[in-house]
Amino acid sequence: MKISWKFKPFNDLTAHELHDFLQIRQQVFIVEQNCPYSDIDKTDKLSFHLMALANQQTVGYARIIPPGVLYDEVSIGRIVTHQKLVVEKALDECRSLFPNSPIKIMAQSYLCKFYESFGFTVISEEFMEDNIPHIYMFRT
């Protein structure tokens, strides 16, 4: 499957792009994980949105949150499907946009080893977020 990419700030998104990535986030984070929570938040408007497309369908997604919005550091969040490809591309975009910023993420605990493979290290004790175990991780 050939993947193409779109990467845009919120104000440059089309209505169709917004719909497509909100739909895939809802499917994964709310329906599949059986976790009713408020996925759409004010952070979306302040973020950059990375969309992976196959046959013009959104098959992966991540948002890149600039420093000062959630944390002092840049952050990557809402990572959906094709995780390895999406994380690699998101890290590339972070380096391009914010070349000297470390990256802080809030990860579901079961993905700790996965994110460690990208150079992230655990910086917190496990905690519950929306009834799912999470940890904070950091990458310099």
Side-chain angles (χ1 to χ4, degrees), residues 6-59:
K6 290 185 180 180
F7 183 67
K8 298 181 174 187
F10 183 85
N11 288 338
D12 291 351
L13 293 168
T14 68
H16 289 279
E17 290 164 342
L18 179 64
H19 172 273
D20 289 351
F21 79 68
L22 289 175
Q23 184 177 38
I24 196 171
R25 281 178 17 185
Q26 176 181 288
Q27 180 62 37
V28 170
F29 295 117
I30 298 170
V31 177
E32 290 177 13
Q33 295 183 355
N34 191 25
C35 182
Y37 82 107
S38 184
D39 173 52
I40 301 170
D41 58 22
K42 67 182 182 331
T43 305
D44 282 319
K45 291 182 180 180
L46 304 171
S47 298
F48 294 87
H49 302 273
L50 175 65
M51 296 156 277
L53 296 104
N55 300 321
Q56 301 182 346
Q57 295 286 98
T58 302
V59 296

